[in-house]
Amino acid sequence: MSFTQNKETKEAEEALVREFQAGNLDAYDKIAEIYQKKIYALSFNLTRNTMDAQDVTQEVLITLFKKVHTFKGKSAFSSWVYRITLNATYMKLRSKKKEPNVSLEDLLPSYNGFGYQQEKIQDWSENTESLLFANETREVIQKAVDQLPEKEKVVFILRDVEGLSTEKVSDILELTIPAVKSRLHRARLFLRKKLSPYFEEYHSRSEKQ
Amino acid sequence: MICCKECLDLLSDYLDGDLDPQTSADLDEHFQDCPPCIAFLNTFKTSTNLCREALRQVDVPEIVQIKMKEFIDQQKQEKG
């Protein structure tokens, strides 16, 4: 299920939450089923560690169980779940040694005084579908995403990977819409630049074949 | 005509359909005369898509699912 919810799913979910708040445990079952994959995927993409993502998922499910009565419905239930997930994930990450992030500024496009691109850009975008079948590609991509600064990384994962709307991400992270858009754009620019050498090489290799 | 910087600054809005028609047309016009920006647009779009696809394929390990089920049942027993 995507979090870009339509009105019907949102209403059905709100009803489930109310039932659960009233003590119906089957409603909790359903909520846990809807959310556990989302919680795990988000946490795994941020920690890149199976055990951590597992711990986080369990913690979040416990929190939902124990704290559901504190959910007042000011924002969507899903936003609330996402916020709890992010907090639990960041608590995990805080206790770990962090690899230094790469400077994002160095990877933004460069222009001359007239605002024209200075760099020579190779177009490697054709025939890249088969790339995804290679484990190597996934590793290269994961490594690049891991190097994103935290602020940009979380926006990229929520917006592009989880497929949430800009409005939803702004609600979860309590950021303005322009701030979400700007972070997303910077993340995408960073990833394009960071991944280009690998994709260029793949492209020239496949052209020779 | 807008310059490359203006064009690339708006690239995400352009691809996400968040630009007004006039600005979007300005970008189209720029792309027609600027092969480096076309290459940038194509690679930007493709890298975004590849990252999205690569990271979306997260499966919850079976052991996690089993543990969750046990946990949920346990909570229910305690309450019930």
Side-chain angles (χ1 to χ4, degrees), chain B residues 4-5 7-9 14 18 24-26 30 32-33 47-51 55-56 70-71 76 79:
Chain B
C4 300
K5 184 178 185 315
C7 182
L8 300 189
D9 281 349
Y14 175 76
D18 288 339
S24 195
D26 289 343
H30 180 92
Q32 277 177 11
D33 296 325
S47 71
T48 302
N49 287 338
L50 288 169
C51 289
L55 266 64
R56 254 188 201 168
E70 278 172 10
F71 167 75
K76 283 168 75 175
K79 269 217 165 179

Side-chain angles (χ1 to χ4, degrees), chain A residues 144-162:
Chain A
V145 173
D146 289 347
Q147 285 178 331
L148 272 169
E150 283 311 324
K151 285 177 176 176
E152 278 78 18
K153 193 198 293 184
V154 67
V155 172
F156 174 76
I157 289 173
L158 291 172
R159 180 75 180 74
D160 274 354
V161 181
E162 294 300 317

Side-chain angles (χ1 to χ4, degrees), chain A residues 50-68:
Chain A
T50 315
M51 280 309 289
D52 286 347
Q54 183 178 330
D55 285 352
V56 167
T57 313
Q58 193 148 339
E59 264 175 60
V60 175
L61 290 177
I62 295 174
T63 308
L64 293 188
F65 195 81
K66 292 191 172 154
K67 298 268 172 79
V68 73

Side-chain angles (χ1 to χ4, degrees), chain B residues 21-32:
Chain B
Q22 180 55 53
T23 314
S24 195
D26 289 343
L27 262 75
D28 287 335
E29 196 191 334
H30 180 92
F31 288 131
Q32 277 177 11

Side-chain angles (χ1 to χ4, degrees), chain A residues 122 124 126-127 130-131 134 136-137 140 195-209:
Chain A
Q122 196 194 323
W124 44 258
E126 272 176 43
N127 306 318
S130 59
L131 263 166
E136 191 197 0
T137 309
V140 170
L195 293 166
S196 279
Y198 175 75
F199 292 146
E200 268 169 29
E201 199 201 314
Y202 177 88
H203 183 75
S204 50
R205 243 187 295 160
S206 62
E207 282 214 320
K208 277 179 202 150
Q209 280 170 9

Side-chain angles (χ1 to χ4, degrees), chain A residues 25-26 28-29 32 36-37 40-41 44-45 48 50 54 57-58 61-62 65 109 111 114-117 119 121-125 128 131-132 138 141-142 145 156-157 159-163 166 181 184-185 188-189 191-192 195-196 199, chain B residues 1-6 8-13 15-16 18 30 34 36-40 42-61 63-65 67-69 71-73 75-77 79-80:
Chain A
L25 295 178
D26 288 335
Y28 174 65
D29 236 1
Q36 67 177 10
K37 186 167 188 265
Y40 182 87
F44 181 76
N45 273 326
R48 196 72 44 216
T50 315
Q54 183 178 330
T57 313
Q58 193 148 339
L61 290 177
I62 295 174
F65 195 81
Y111 307 98
F114 301 102
Y116 287 91
Q117 281 200 78
E119 220 181 310
I121 309 278
Q122 196 194 323
D123 192 347
W124 44 258
S125 64
T128 45
L131 263 166
L132 279 175
R138 282 226 233 167
I141 290 176
Q142 283 167 354
V145 173
F156 174 76
I157 289 173
R159 180 75 180 74
D160 274 354
V161 181
E162 294 300 317
T166 306
K181 284 186 172 184
L184 177 67
H185 188 54
R188 288 171 174 176
L189 287 172
L191 292 170
R192 192 205 73 89
L195 293 166
S196 279
F199 292 146
Chain B
M1 196 172 96
I2 60 172
C3 67
C4 300
K5 184 178 185 315
E6 288 171 282
L8 300 189
D9 281 349
L10 294 172
L11 213 50
S12 281
D13 287 333
L15 291 170
D16 295 338
D18 288 339
H30 180 92
C34 187
C37 277
I38 281 284
F40 198 102
N42 289 341
T43 52
F44 182 85
K45 211 159 53 175
T46 307
S47 71
T48 302
N49 287 338
L50 288 169
C51 289
R52 171 185 298 147
E53 290 309 317
L55 266 64
R56 254 188 201 168
Q57 298 161 5
V58 175
D59 292 318
V60 186
I63 176 75
V64 177
Q65 296 190 45
K67 281 195 160 188
M68 292 306 142
K69 179 91 182 59
F71 167 75
I72 291 164
D73 288 345
Q75 300 298 318
K76 283 168 75 175
Q77 257 176 16
K79 269 217 165 179

